[in-house]
Amino acid sequence: AEYVKHVLLASRTMIYGLCFIAWFCFNNFVLMKYPDGSAVRGFSLGATAGTLAGNMWCTKIVAVLLEQCLGGNCIAWLHPVSWIALAAAVFFSTTNLYFISLGLQHYEALFMVTVFMGASIVTNSLSAIVVLAEMDEAPWWKLGGYVLCILGMMAGLVLLTEGEKDPTGPPRRGHANLEEVELSSSYDVRDARDVRFDLDARAFGAATSPLD
């Protein structure tokens, strides 16, 4: 319980939490207001789901507490902070499903899954540094390389979103493409039936016409 208090009440955790809330609100009230099919809205849905799923620090805390309890030491669960960590773990692991499912209804799966996984990895890496302080004792070159890798993944997500933008073409939606395929297939079948009927009529007319 003391470890959980130390992690949750640390000033760096408070700053991380405020930044995450600001990022979450920015996505919900600004970026997600873009029209359906917009690459910005698709990125926002995937990134929001990824950042929610990437907050694994509370899951790690709960796993440590459960391991201690299985070993016979369950005192930590008598403190409210342990249950707060459990509630946070459940919240992060379930709320991301709404945003990723909403994004998959309007955007290509390859785009959404890539943004989701990239944002999840970035958030997991940042929370490990800031909240869990896993790199506090690492040498500067190792910490610098770790940060550069995170920045590289963030740059890749931006490039992916820029590549997804297509101002000259219509919005790309998965369900719209499916409807177009079904519609074109129905016309193909109808055309094939008309051609067959015409050929049968001609054959019947040639068979019944009198010989010269």
Side-chain angles (χ1 to χ4, degrees):
E2 294 298 328
Y3 170 72
V4 179
K5 288 182 181 180
H6 174 73
V7 171
L8 295 181
L9 300 180
S11 58
R12 57 200 297 173
T13 304
M14 298 294 181
I15 296 174
Y16 176 85
L18 292 176
C19 292
F20 178 80
I21 293 174
W23 162 257
F24 184 80
C25 293
F26 177 69
N27 278 277
N28 277 269
F29 299 111
V30 179
L31 297 184
M32 291 186 190
K33 298 301 180 180
Y34 278 72
D36 290 342
S38 170
V40 176
R41 187 172 188 271
F43 170 81
S44 178
L45 289 170
T48 301
T51 50
L52 287 169
N55 278 283
M56 301 296 293
W57 55 271
C58 48
T59 305
K60 183 177 181 179
I61 292 176
V62 172
V64 172
L65 296 179
L66 288 176
E67 182 181 4
Q68 293 178 355
C69 187
L70 292 176
N73 183 11
C74 298
I75 300 178
W77 293 102
L78 299 177
H79 299 273
V81 289
S82 301
W83 294 99
I84 293 175
L86 177 61
V90 174
F91 172 80
F92 288 129
S93 61
T94 56
T95 53
N96 70 89
L97 300 176
Y98 168 76
F99 295 99
I100 190 62
S101 62
L102 184 62
L104 289 174
Q105 293 176 10
H106 299 279
Y107 298 90
E108 297 178 0
L110 181 61
F111 171 65
M112 289 302 301
V113 173
T114 303
V115 174
F116 172 82
M117 292 303 300
S120 178
I121 294 172
V122 170
T123 306
N124 193 10
S125 303
L126 286 175
S127 62
I129 294 177
V130 178
V131 179
L132 299 180
E134 293 183 354
M135 300 291 290
D136 282 2
E137 299 180 358
W140 65 269
W141 57 267
K142 189 173 183 179
L143 178 61
Y146 195 82
V147 173
L148 286 177
C149 291
I150 296 176
L151 294 177
M153 286 187 290
M154 295 174 67
L157 292 176
V158 174
L159 291 176
L160 176 66
T161 306
E162 291 294 327
E164 186 70 10
K165 292 181 180 178
D166 187 9
T168 60
R172 287 178 286 181
R173 300 183 181 180
H175 63 277
N177 293 335
L178 181 59
E179 292 175 358
E180 292 174 1
V181 171
E182 293 177 350
L183 186 61
S184 62
S185 299
S186 63
Y187 277 112
D188 292 340
V189 173
R190 187 179 303 173
D191 294 340
R193 291 177 178 174
D194 293 341
V195 171
R196 182 178 179 182
F197 177 78
D198 185 57
L199 291 176
D200 291 341
R202 291 183 181 180
F204 179 78
T208 57
S209 61
L211 297 175
D212 293 337

